[in-house]
Amino acid sequence: MPRSTDDRRPRNAGRAELAVVGAGPAGLAAAVTAADHGLDVLLLDAADTPGGQYYRSPSDGLGATRPDALHHGWSVFAGLSARLAAHRESGAIRHLAGHQVWSVERARDGDWILHAVTGAEGERRHAVTGRRLLLATGAHERQLPFSRWTLPGVVGAAGAQAMLKSGLTLPGRRIVVAGSGPLLQAVALSLTRAGASVPALIEASGYGAYARAPHVLAANPGKAAEGVRYGTALARAGVRVLTHRAVTEVHGDTRVEAVTVSRVNRRWSPVPGTGREIPCDVLAVGHGLVPQLELAVALGCTTRVCADGAHAVALDEQLRTTVPGVWAAGETGGIGGVELALCEGELAALSIVREIRGGVRREAARRAIALRRSRSRLRAFAALMGDVHRPGDGWSEWPADDTEVCRCEEVTAGRIRAACEELGAGDARTVKLLTRAGMGWCQGRTCGFAVRELAAAHSTGRGAGAEPDGPDRRPLACPVKLSALADPADPG
């Protein structure tokens, strides 16, 4: 239970027994669970309010009367928020909102020093310390480039949903939702309920592939039921769900006016002669999510290749990474959805409590056993989901040579292919050095997956579905101003 307001204890404001990076579902669940069991917690997050991308909500100034209407499972978040508020009041949790952690280092005494930038423009530095570290850094959307995907009116599918949740704004009135993965269904339904017209949901894979693992579906009946509910709701809203198809071109002079949708085979290669135009003013497109690993990789945590082709942090059943004193939970360990993130956040917290305190109470031990069982079941479904919606190697045929892959540095698919076929680049890192792909402001978050896969397709002959290169290791996990680096960090 949360501590009472009378249970305040003197402590070092800049040091805690546990530092949690990320206040999304996993980080939030971990922080309040650890505080429930008596740990002092520092919770750092780049956003101004907790909840992460999933529980993103409109600002108070917009006057939203029912922010829960745009969310699934809002009551769970409300409960976590209430526990967070109680722990903040008691002093058990210090929530540092608006703190973007850019580096973590180990002190001589074994503690972790977290360096963050704060302020409206990231102009100030702040350093805090934790005995143990939990990474719950979430994920970002995966984009696969195609002809004219940089035209105004093309937005990320998750981005369209974020606009709606945080700004109560629609990116357009007639919106085609495309890509691959179960997120598309949630996005399309949210847009229709907000008043948009969604003429089609374009899915490059096929939902029937889930039947390949009936034992996994049987162990997760709620997931199957949720899929049926989404399908029924989309049908009632008049949204056509077109599977084994992809948007291969965008049309318009100054912004999106229509898209070409082509049938794709099992490799996701476009089938000639099957393209047809669908009028729209916005394309919301995304091909799943990719874990954010910058901090974990910088710390030396081992990664693994997931069923969807992306890298994630390798974890044991206690959610420990390969670096002693560091845990991870949620999408950092592989894309799996909010239910898994909540489960892993709580389980990681109990693991950390056990290590720091030398054990946990009997009811907490029983809870941990139940959580491990749930995690195993949910991770099995996540692996199935990743395998079903993993991009086929034929997608590398979508971008023409003049299609920009890295938008920050304006690097085209033709330049990447030339770097491999003419200049001898054998991996994505060499492509990066030769073309600057991935060296811009976003540091490869948008183009990194596509660059790695294109490099694999054109440098080894194994095809774009070959195991990708490992994630880059960078000293800074996010852009930091030189002025901020020059100033001494505020240790408080």
Side-chain angles (χ1 to χ4, degrees):
M1 295 294 293
R3 299 174 180 175
S4 69
T5 55
D6 296 329
D7 190 25
R8 296 189 178 95
R9 299 181 300 176
R11 61 186 179 86
N12 183 339
R15 184 181 186 276
E17 292 173 296
L18 172 62
V20 179
V21 181
L28 189 55
V32 297
T33 300
D36 286 347
H37 290 80
L39 296 190
D40 287 325
V41 180
L42 282 165
L43 176 61
L44 298 91
D45 192 64
D48 293 329
T49 57
Q53 297 297 328
Y54 188 85
Y55 289 119
R56 183 189 287 262
S57 56
S59 64
D60 294 338
L62 292 176
T65 57
R66 293 186 58 212
D68 57 307
L70 297 173
H71 294 79
H72 177 70
W74 182 261
S75 61
V76 175
F77 174 61
L80 291 171
S81 297
R83 290 164 66 190
L84 174 63
H87 285 310
R88 290 177 63 178
E89 177 65 21
S90 72
I93 294 179
R94 184 183 179 201
H95 178 205
L96 301 179
H99 281 62
Q100 176 73 58
V101 178
W102 59 269
S103 180
V104 179
E105 62 177 322
R106 185 154 234 163
R108 291 181 179 179
D109 60 3
D111 285 357
W112 296 103
I113 303 174
L114 291 79
H115 298 277
V117 288
T118 68
E121 298 182 357
E123 67 273 13
R124 298 191 300 273
R125 285 179 61 188
H126 191 185
V128 295
T129 304
R131 286 181 58 192
R132 301 293 188 274
L133 174 65
L134 172 63
L135 301 176
T137 46
H140 54 85
E141 196 164 24
R142 173 164 52 196
Q143 294 293 344
L144 303 180
F146 50 89
S147 181
R148 306 195 73 201
W149 73 303
T150 56
L151 193 69
V154 179
V155 300
Q161 191 174 51
M163 289 177 64
L164 185 57
K165 287 182 176 181
S166 62
L168 305 180
T169 301
L170 288 169
R173 303 306 305 178
R174 185 176 174 85
I175 308 170
V176 169
V177 177
S180 187
L183 175 64
L184 301 184
Q185 294 181 322
V187 171
L189 192 57
S190 295
L191 293 173
T192 59
R193 287 175 173 172
S197 169
V198 179
L201 187 162
I202 312 300
E203 166 63 59
S205 298
Y207 303 115
Y210 282 92
R212 296 193 303 239
H215 60 291
V216 175
L217 293 179
N220 293 273
K223 298 292 186 181
E226 185 177 42
V228 172
R229 287 196 299 271
Y230 273 123
T232 302
L234 289 170
R236 288 175 178 170
V239 179
R240 291 175 297 163
V241 179
L242 305 176
T243 59
H244 303 291
R245 290 173 174 83
V247 172
T248 52
E249 188 173 2
V250 178
H251 306 282
D253 294 326
T254 58
R255 63 168 294 113
V256 174
E257 296 175 5
V259 296
T260 290
V261 175
S262 302
R263 181 177 290 277
V264 295
N265 60 23
R266 292 183 178 181
R267 294 182 55 249
W268 286 25
S269 295
V271 177
T274 62
R276 66 167 183 165
E277 288 191 19
I278 298 179
C280 60
D281 59 5
V282 168
L283 169 64
V285 60
H287 294 84
L289 303 173
V290 179
Q292 293 203 151
L293 303 180
E294 292 84 2
L295 287 175
V297 172
L299 287 168
C301 299
T302 299
T303 62
R304 65 185 180 91
V305 179
C306 301
D308 63 356
H311 281 82
V313 176
L315 303 171
D316 65 12
E317 67 173 11
Q318 298 294 330
L319 283 305
R320 292 175 296 210
T321 72
T322 55
V323 176
V326 180
W327 283 253
E331 312 288 44
T332 313
I335 306 304
V338 66
E339 184 181 358
L340 178 57
L342 293 167
C343 172
E344 289 194 340
E346 184 178 354
L347 181 58
L350 292 176
S351 173
I352 295 167
V353 170
R354 182 183 295 108
E355 179 167 306
I356 292 179
R357 297 287 189 254
V360 294
R361 295 178 179 178
R362 183 175 300 175
E363 59 269 24
R366 287 197 294 264
R367 176 62 176 167
I369 292 173
L371 288 169
R372 282 196 292 273
R373 290 173 179 166
S374 295
R375 177 180 183 257
S376 178
R377 170 178 59 81
L378 292 167
R379 274 291 166 204
F381 184 83
L384 172 61
M385 180 176 66
D387 183 58
V388 168
H389 297 285
R390 175 172 179 156
D393 56 12
W395 80 261
S396 61
E397 300 171 19
W398 299 355
D401 280 345
D402 62 353
T403 300
E404 286 187 0
V405 175
C406 173
R407 295 188 293 185
C408 295
E409 295 293 324
E410 300 181 342
V411 180
T412 63
R415 286 178 60 191
I416 293 173
R417 290 166 178 144
C420 296
E421 297 170 356
E422 300 175 16
L423 302 179
D427 54 34
R429 188 162 300 174
T430 306
V431 169
K432 178 179 177 180
L433 294 172
L434 292 171
T435 67
R436 293 190 57 83
M439 296 179 71
W441 181 258
C442 85
Q443 288 291 285
R445 288 176 179 83
T446 300
C447 69
F449 182 88
V451 171
R452 286 194 297 270
E453 295 263 307
L454 284 171
H458 294 277
S459 63
T460 68
R462 294 176 297 165
E467 183 172 309
D469 299 323
D472 290 339
R473 184 169 181 169
R474 299 185 178 94
L476 280 68
C478 66
V480 181
K481 291 185 175 182
L482 291 177
S483 58
L485 291 176
D487 290 337
D490 173 12

